[in-house]
Amino acid sequence: MGCLNTKKLKLSSMKKSLFVFSFLFLLRLSLLYGWTGRFQALMDINPSFGNKPSNSRNITILLWYWPFGRSLSLRGDVCWDLYHIPHCRLVDQCSLFPSADVVVFHNRELVQGRKKLPFDLPRPQGQRWAWMSLEAPVYSSNLRQLDNLFNITITYRRDADVTIPYGELLPKEDEGVEDVPQNKSFLVCWVVSNYKNQHKRSMVYKELSETVPVKVYGRWTKKPLPSRALIPTISRCYFYLSFENSVGKDYITEKLWRNAYKGGAVPVVTGPPIDDYKAVAPPNSFIHVDEFASVKDLGKYLQQLAGDKERYSEYFKWKKEWRVKLYTDWRERLCKVCPQYDRLPQHKVYSDLEAWVNATSN
Ligand SMILES: *[C@@H]1O[C@H](CO)[C@@H](O)[C@H](O)[C@H]1NC(C)=O
Ligand SMILES: *[C@@H]1O[C@H](CO)[C@@H](O)[C@H](O)[C@H]1NC(C)=O
Ligand SMILES: *[C@@H]1O[C@H](CO)[C@@H](O)[C@H](O)[C@H]1NC(C)=O
C-alpha cells in the first residue's frame, strides 16, 4: 500500500514536471523561432548561386585605399570568383572614380590624417561615399571633420546601411548531430594580449578568478599562443571568456564567433547588452555576465554547469541547425555591398557621423 502510494505520488509529480517541462520546451521553441525569424530577415540578402546571371548592369565598388595598408588581389571577377556574387566590380584604381557607384573609405586612415578624401574631384551625380570601420567607437574619435560627406555606413552594426559582422550563423544544409565537446581540462579560459586595469572586462576577470580557477593565456601572461594553438587550447576549456575590450553597440567580435564557438567552449560574454547578443546568437549558446547579480554568482553557475553533463550539453544544441561563418577578408565584406545596392537609402547624408558612431544600444 505504502509503496503504491509513493508510486502514485511519484507519478503525479512526474506528470507535473512533464507539464512544466513541455511548457518550458514550448517557450524555448517560440523564443528560438522568434530568433530565427529575425535571423531570416538577414538571410534575404543571399548571393545567388549557380550560373552567373548576365542581364543586369555591373555595380562598381571603388576602395579608395586598403585598410591598414594591406592590399589584396582584385584580379578577375573577384566577387563572382570568390563569393558567387554577380555584377559586382570591386576595384581599387582611383582613376575609376568617375564611374564608381560607391566609393569606400576606411575610417582609421582618415581620422589619423594619413589618407584624404578626394575633394578635388567632381563627385558624380548619384555616387555614394561609404564610411567603413570594424573598430569599436572608442577608436573613432575626431569624426567632426567627416560630417556631411558620407551617404552610407559599412560596419558591424545591425543598423548600418551595409552590415559586415565579424561572424554570423548560417543554417546548416543537412541537420548534423551536435557534438558536445569532451576532454575538458580547465573550467574557464581566457586569452588576453592587451590587459588594462580600467577595462570592465579586467574587473570581471579579477573578481571571477577569486571565485573559480581561470586559466589565462596570451601576451599579457608572457605565454603568447601561436595562432594555430588557439582553437585547440580553447577546446580544452568548459568556458571561454569572450570579453570585448570595449563596449559598443553590436560590437561582437571573433572572440565569440571564432574563439568560443569554433573552439567548442561555451562563451561567457561581456560587451554590448544581452539583447545585442540575442539578436545574432541563439539563446542558450552563450552566458552574459549581466545575467547575474554578481560575478560570484556567475562563478558558482559555471561550476555547477560544468558538473552537470546534461545541462552543459544544452549549450551546444544550436549546432544541430547552425554553422558559424567567419568574415575575415575585406573583399568579401566589400562584395556584400552589391546585393544590397538596390536597397540602399536613395538620399542620405550622415550630418553627424560622430553621434551615429557613438549611439548606444537600446
Ligand atoms: C560586368 O563585369 C564583368 C566582369 O568584369 C564583365 O565580364 C561584363 O562584361 C560586365 N558586364 C556589363 C554589362 O558591363
Ligand atoms: C584529450 O586531451 C589530451 C591532452 O591534450 C590529448 O592528449 C588526448 O588525445 C585527448 N583525447 C581525446 C579523446 O581527444
Ligand atoms: C551623398 O552625400 C552628398 C553630400 O556629401 C550629397 O550631396 C548627395 O546628394 C548624396 N547622395 C546620395 C545618393 O545620397
Side-chain angles (χ1 to χ4, degrees):
M1 265 293 268
C3 187
L4 203 71
N5 271 345
T6 21
K7 254 192 190 156
K8 258 189 193 158
L9 205 71
K10 260 192 195 154
L11 212 67
S12 81
S13 81
M14 259 170 69
K15 263 189 198 158
K16 223 183 261 172
S17 59
L18 200 68
F19 173 77
V20 171
F21 178 79
S22 344
F23 174 74
L24 286 177
F25 181 76
L26 283 173
L27 189 74
R28 280 255 317 281
L29 212 63
S30 72
L31 283 175
L32 198 69
Y33 267 84
W35 183 78
T36 319
R38 239 173 308 171
F39 177 76
Q40 219 56 47
L42 286 173
M43 290 302 301
D44 286 352
I45 313 149
N46 232 337
S48 62
F49 285 87
N51 291 331
K52 179 153 93 174
S54 57
N55 39 2
S56 55
R57 80 178 185 100
N58 289 329
I59 291 157
T60 300
I61 311 290
L62 168 59
L63 180 63
W64 198 243
Y65 48 84
W66 284 88
F68 310 107
R70 281 174 236 138
S71 64
L72 296 166
S73 164
L74 297 181
R75 230 169 307 144
D77 187 350
V78 175
C79 294
W80 177 257
D81 296 343
L82 297 182
Y83 311 113
H84 271 216
I85 294 173
H87 303 298
C88 194
R89 198 159 69 117
L90 178 58
V91 295
D92 60 1
Q93 297 102 309
C94 295
S95 60
L96 295 172
F97 180 84
S99 66
D101 297 292
V102 178
V103 187
V104 181
F105 304 92
H106 183 248
N107 174 67
R108 176 73 81 93
E109 291 78 9
L110 287 182
V111 295
Q112 289 185 342
R114 284 190 282 119
K115 294 287 177 185
K116 297 242 174 314
L117 292 161
F119 291 127
D120 48 332
L121 299 176
R123 194 163 160 176
Q125 183 89 28
Q127 180 180 83
R128 290 181 177 90
W129 285 15
W131 178 89
M132 180 168 74
S133 175
L134 274 179
E135 294 178 287
V138 64
Y139 297 106
S140 306
S141 54
N142 213 7
L143 291 178
R144 278 269 99 89
Q145 43 161 343
L146 302 182
D147 285 349
N148 289 310
L149 293 171
F150 292 99
N151 308 104
I152 63 173
T153 48
I154 305 178
T155 178
Y156 50 81
R157 265 171 56 184
R158 280 173 292 145
D159 61 351
D161 299 300
V162 177
T163 303
I164 49 164
Y166 281 81
E168 67 182 335
L169 299 184
L170 299 177
K172 265 189 178 163
E173 273 114 53
D174 43 355
E175 189 164 306
V177 280
E178 103 253 34
D179 66 294
V180 181
Q182 311 278 335
N183 207 14
K184 303 288 191 188
S185 324
F186 303 106
L187 184 69
V188 181
C189 299
W190 191 28
V191 177
V192 60
S193 33
N194 171 29
Y195 186 95
K196 294 223 172 69
N197 274 318
Q198 73 273 20
H199 280 165
K200 182 195 167 190
R201 65 176 190 181
S202 308
M203 297 177 215
V204 176
Y205 157 72
K206 261 195 241 154
E207 231 187 307
L208 188 62
S209 63
E210 285 161 17
T211 315
V212 294
V214 180
K215 181 90 178 152
V216 185
Y217 301 89
R219 236 176 26 235
W220 177 54
T221 60
K222 312 256 181 332
K223 280 182 288 182
L225 272 183
S227 60
R228 70 189 143 70
L230 182 74
I231 298 302
T233 302
I234 293 171
S235 72
R236 299 188 52 204
C237 315
Y238 282 94
F239 303 99
Y240 179 75
L241 302 184
S242 297
F243 286 5
E244 299 301 346
N245 56 17
S246 70
V247 179
K249 187 174 167 139
D250 290 330
Y251 185 65
I252 301 171
T253 69
E254 78 290 340
K255 293 177 176 68
L256 175 79
W257 302 112
R258 184 192 59 194
N259 300 13
Y261 281 168
K262 293 256 181 194
V266 174
V268 177
V269 304
T270 182
I274 189 161
D275 283 343
D276 285 12
Y277 283 92
K278 279 185 176 164
V280 294
N284 235 24
S285 72
F286 63 90
I287 296 167
H288 198 294
V289 171
D290 293 353
E291 290 173 79
F292 299 86
S294 71
V295 175
K296 253 199 186 64
D297 288 351
L298 165 66
K300 280 187 211 144
Y301 181 77
L302 298 183
Q303 220 150 22
Q304 284 167 6
L305 200 53
D308 186 337
K309 262 199 165 131
E310 207 162 307
R311 264 174 77 211
Y312 182 72
S313 70
E314 302 260 306
Y315 280 86
F316 297 91
K317 282 236 161 90
W318 62 274
K319 290 196 168 190
K320 271 191 198 167
E321 286 168 77
W322 307 98
R323 66 184 174 89
V324 178
K325 162 90 177 113
L326 301 174
Y327 291 95
T328 55
D329 192 313
W330 285 104
R331 293 174 296 190
E332 183 166 22
R333 299 175 181 124
L334 289 161
C335 291
K336 277 184 79 176
V337 176
C338 288
Q340 300 186 56
Y341 183 78
D342 289 334
R343 271 178 274 188
L344 294 176
Q346 284 305 311
H347 286 285
K348 188 167 178 178
V349 179
Y350 281 83
S351 59
D352 189 346
L353 190 62
E354 192 157 272
W356 187 85
V357 165
N358 287 308
T360 49
S361 308
N362 302 320

